[in-house]
């Protein structure tokens, strides 16, 4: 998960914890290139092995702003097609900021598994 998300090296070790079951929780904590702290957590809502994952997404800094992420994976002639949908944002700026972050993470995913 840390390699996929492209976490910047930092003296404080990143944390990725997950209990991958419906109702299970995850937590990711890391530091950005400028030293800023990030911590996000959520609850798994739906799991279809090798096909679909739905979970809530809540930043520690704004716990009242819960959103939802759906990762859908389908076979394709070239391997797999991954569709990531993040929805239920507080506002358009938050949506756009997450779009930048997820695009960075998806670029990293391609590099990790290339």
């Amino acid at each position: 998960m840390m390699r996929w998300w492209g976490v910047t090296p930092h003296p404080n070790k990143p944390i990725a914890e997950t209990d991958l079951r419906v109702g299970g929780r995850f937590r990711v904590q890391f530091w950005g290139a400028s030293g800023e702290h990030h911590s996000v957590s959520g609850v798994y809502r739906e799991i279809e092995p090798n096909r679909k994952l739905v979970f809530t997404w809540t930043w520690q800094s704004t716990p009242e702003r819960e959103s939802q992420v759906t990762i859908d994976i389908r076979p394709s002639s070239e391997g797999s097609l991954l569709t990531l949908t993040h929805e239920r944002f507080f506002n358009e700026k938050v949506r756009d900021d997450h779009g930048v972050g997820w695009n960075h993470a998806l670029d990293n995913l391609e590099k990790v598994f290339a």
Side-chain angles (χ1 to χ4, degrees):
M1 187 183 290
M2 294 289 97
R3 287 177 49 210
W4 172 27
W5 287 7
V7 172
T8 305
H10 190 272
N12 294 319
K13 185 178 178 184
I15 297 169
E17 302 170 335
T18 187
D19 178 10
L20 188 57
R21 62 181 174 82
V22 173
R25 299 190 61 81
F26 75 90
R27 178 175 72 109
V28 177
Q29 178 176 293
F30 58 97
W31 286 259
S34 302
E36 67 277 11
H37 175 254
H38 303 281
S39 183
V40 66
S41 62
V43 176
Y44 294 107
R45 297 289 188 216
E46 185 179 341
I47 299 169
E48 293 180 37
N50 302 313
R51 160 77 181 88
K52 187 176 186 180
L53 187 62
V54 180
F55 51 93
T56 61
W57 182 271
T58 308
W59 290 103
Q60 181 182 13
S61 58
T62 52
E64 71 283 0
R65 298 182 186 178
E66 182 179 274
S67 54
Q68 181 172 288
V69 177
T70 300
I71 298 173
D72 188 61
I73 302 170
R74 302 272 183 188
S76 77
S77 59
E78 297 177 14
S80 297
L81 176 64
L82 186 149
T83 303
L84 189 146
T85 305
H86 195 158
E87 57 193 342
R88 302 182 187 166
F89 288 108
F90 177 72
N91 62 33
E92 289 181 10
K93 180 182 180 339
V94 172
R95 179 201 64 203
D96 295 348
D97 289 348
H98 280 81
V100 170
W102 282 119
N103 280 317
H104 179 69
L106 291 171
D107 288 345
N108 284 334
L109 180 63
E110 185 174 9
K111 292 173 192 170
V112 167
F113 291 103

